[in-house]
Amino acid sequence: LMPETTRPKKNANVFGEPLALGTNVYSRGIGVLANSVACVETDGKAVSFDAVAGADAVLGKMPYNWVPVCTLQVWADERVVFSRRLSGSSKPVNVHADVKGAKRVYLAAYFSGYQTQVAVDWCEARFTVGEGALIDLVADEFGVLATHKIRNHV
């Protein structure tokens, strides 16, 4: 099992604090620690994945001049459908990925260079499926991302 402090968190950054990208705070999303890959089983029902993503603002509180560098990727089965390299000066990115027909979607965050930890937030993360329904990312009792639950989007 992963240590509690490094497990993906639902609606919080990986340290259990509010999700924050730049000066914006978000109530919904997933906080992870790079290097990580979160898998969501969509059973081919998802059409797209959308989020606002980037390095969590908690990094701006570091006591030294530390610039996080990471790459965010969305995979649809074995295809990369979104990839963006971010540095500490990067603004959060709007993620839109075509995942139509994918059985599994992977949200990947990789740190670059010599760094050992980069807190990454996938804010307002959502899957769109047929007829406007959404697949919500959910965490199990251990804080690990689990299989989706579907709710109708009105």
Side-chain angles (χ1 to χ4, degrees):
L1 287 174
M2 296 168 60
E4 180 61 34
T5 56
T6 60
R7 290 186 185 141
K9 301 284 190 299
K10 181 181 179 185
N11 300 330
N13 72 18
V14 73
F15 304 112
E17 298 177 8
L19 297 162
L21 299 175
T23 58
N24 295 321
V25 176
Y26 297 85
S27 60
R28 286 183 358 107
I30 302 294
V32 300
L33 191 65
N35 288 335
S36 70
V37 178
C39 175
V40 180
E41 294 190 17
T42 56
D43 297 325
K45 297 174 184 173
V47 175
S48 63
F49 171 77
D50 294 277
V52 179
D56 189 274
V58 71
L59 299 174
K61 301 174 189 173
M62 297 291 187
Y64 46 89
N65 190 15
W66 190 74
V67 178
V69 178
C70 64
T71 299
L72 303 179
Q73 292 184 331
V74 178
W75 290 67
D77 292 327
E78 297 178 9
R79 313 176 271 130
V80 175
V81 293
F82 176 88
S83 184
R84 182 75 53 92
R85 185 174 186 272
L86 304 176
S87 70
S89 59
S90 296
K91 293 183 178 182
V93 296
N94 290 318
V95 177
H96 176 77
D98 177 0
V99 298
K100 188 173 185 178
K103 300 289 185 195
R104 290 189 176 130
V105 174
Y106 302 91
L107 307 178
Y110 305 106
F111 64 81
S112 303
Y114 60 89
Q115 297 156 350
T116 57
Q117 291 187 341
V118 176
V120 172
D121 297 338
W122 299 90
C123 300
E124 302 301 322
R126 64 194 180 281
F127 286 90
T128 302
V129 298
E131 299 187 25
L134 295 180
I135 296 173
D136 285 338
L137 300 177
V138 296
D140 66 16
E141 65 271 21
F142 301 108
V144 178
L145 296 180
T147 306
H148 64 278
K149 71 177 182 181
I150 297 177
R151 68 177 171 83
N152 288 328
H153 177 66
V154 179

